[in-house]
Amino acid sequence: MAEKSSIFDMIGPVMIGPSSSHTAGVVRIAGAAIRILGSLPTHATITFYNSFARTYEGHGSDRAIVAGLLGYATDDKRIRDAFDHAKEAGLQYTFQSVGNASTMHPNTIKVQLRDERTGHSTEVIGQSRGGGVIRIVEVDGFPADFSASLHTLIVDADDRQGSIAFIASVIAHDDCNIATMFVSRKGRNDLARQFIEMDSGIKPITLEYLRQLSWVHQVTYIPTVE
């Protein structure tokens, strides 16, 4: 029986690379997820939806997501051998597939990550839009809408009057221009999560100031994900 071929198969000295939707976008979704987690995970459950569920093995999306969880960039040659590197790094992962999720984008991935060293965990849902472009559409149950192509600030804060304007003012005083802002909350006067995309990075002292505010619970900063 012939060995099953892969999109990574070699023809002469040239590697036949998969599409940017199936590799570059997938690596970047993972890259955003580990930055939200704040470290490289020790455990990961990865769910592919719709067209990804049918093609992730043959098109190399499985290797790409594991490579991204190891912190590799989209052009890293180690993507081809990501499974071996994951074993060396002690990353435990499982794949799941859901072939008919009608409410989701055709190329959707959910990553559930845990770092046993820190006790931290996160769940991120992302879409690969083609050309390496992604959208992160949910983080830990909060609807989201950011691309990870800009500097991104995620702020968990009490849903109180003036909080959004205050945080925007602090960012403006750091000479950062806000490109987009998306806010979701669990309920009125409950916990709210702000996803803020900025054209430039934010100073560490500004991050520390935001973290010291009594009504701010958590601040996560994600530099541009290449």
Side-chain angles (χ1 to χ4, degrees), residues 125-139:
I125 299 177
Q127 303 169 347
S128 182
R129 300 288 189 89
V133 176
I134 68 169
R135 300 301 298 179
I136 302 300
V137 296
E138 187 175 304
V139 178

Side-chain angles (χ1 to χ4, degrees), residues 168-195:
S169 176
V170 171
I171 293 171
H173 279 88
D174 201 9
D175 294 327
C176 292
N177 183 55
I178 294 176
T180 70
M181 178 182 286
F182 186 93
V183 181
S184 58
R185 61 184 185 177
K186 291 186 174 180
R188 186 174 181 179
N189 299 321
D190 201 341
L191 184 67
R193 179 166 287 185
Q194 302 176 27
F195 300 91

Side-chain angles (χ1 to χ4, degrees), residues 48-59:
F48 293 95
Y49 293 89
N50 297 332
S51 65
F52 266 173
R54 296 183 288 274
T55 63
Y56 74 88
E57 291 179 293
H59 286 184

Side-chain angles (χ1 to χ4, degrees), residues 88-216:
E88 294 170 2
L91 171 60
Q92 299 181 35
Y93 57 88
T94 57
F95 296 120
Q96 300 176 348
S97 61
V98 178
N100 187 21
S102 59
T103 61
M104 290 184 165
H105 185 274
N107 294 336
T108 297
I109 300 176
K110 177 169 69 177
V111 288
Q112 297 163 288
L113 307 179
R114 185 172 80 256
D115 183 352
E116 288 193 339
R117 297 160 299 198
T118 63
H120 296 164
S121 62
T122 191
E123 178 182 289
V124 177
I125 299 177
Q127 303 169 347
S128 182
R129 300 288 189 89
V133 176
I134 68 169
R135 300 301 298 179
I136 302 300
V137 296
E138 187 175 304
V139 178
D140 298 327
F142 285 93
D145 186 13
F146 65 94
S147 67
S149 62
L150 298 172
H151 297 266
T152 304
L153 194 63
I154 303 175
V155 181
D156 288 359
D158 294 337
D159 181 33
R160 54 187 289 177
Q161 184 175 356
S163 61
I164 296 173
F166 183 85
I167 290 174
S169 176
V170 171
I171 293 171
H173 279 88
D174 201 9
D175 294 327
C176 292
N177 183 55
I178 294 176
T180 70
M181 178 182 286
F182 186 93
V183 181
S184 58
R185 61 184 185 177
K186 291 186 174 180
R188 186 174 181 179
N189 299 321
D190 201 341
L191 184 67
R193 179 166 287 185
Q194 302 176 27
F195 300 91
I196 305 167
E197 291 186 293
M198 304 167 293
D199 290 331
S200 59
I202 193 166
K203 295 183 180 70
I205 193 171
T206 305
L207 293 173
E208 287 306 311
Y209 172 72
L210 290 173
R211 291 184 176 118
Q212 294 303 315
L213 296 173
S214 61
W215 46 275
V216 170

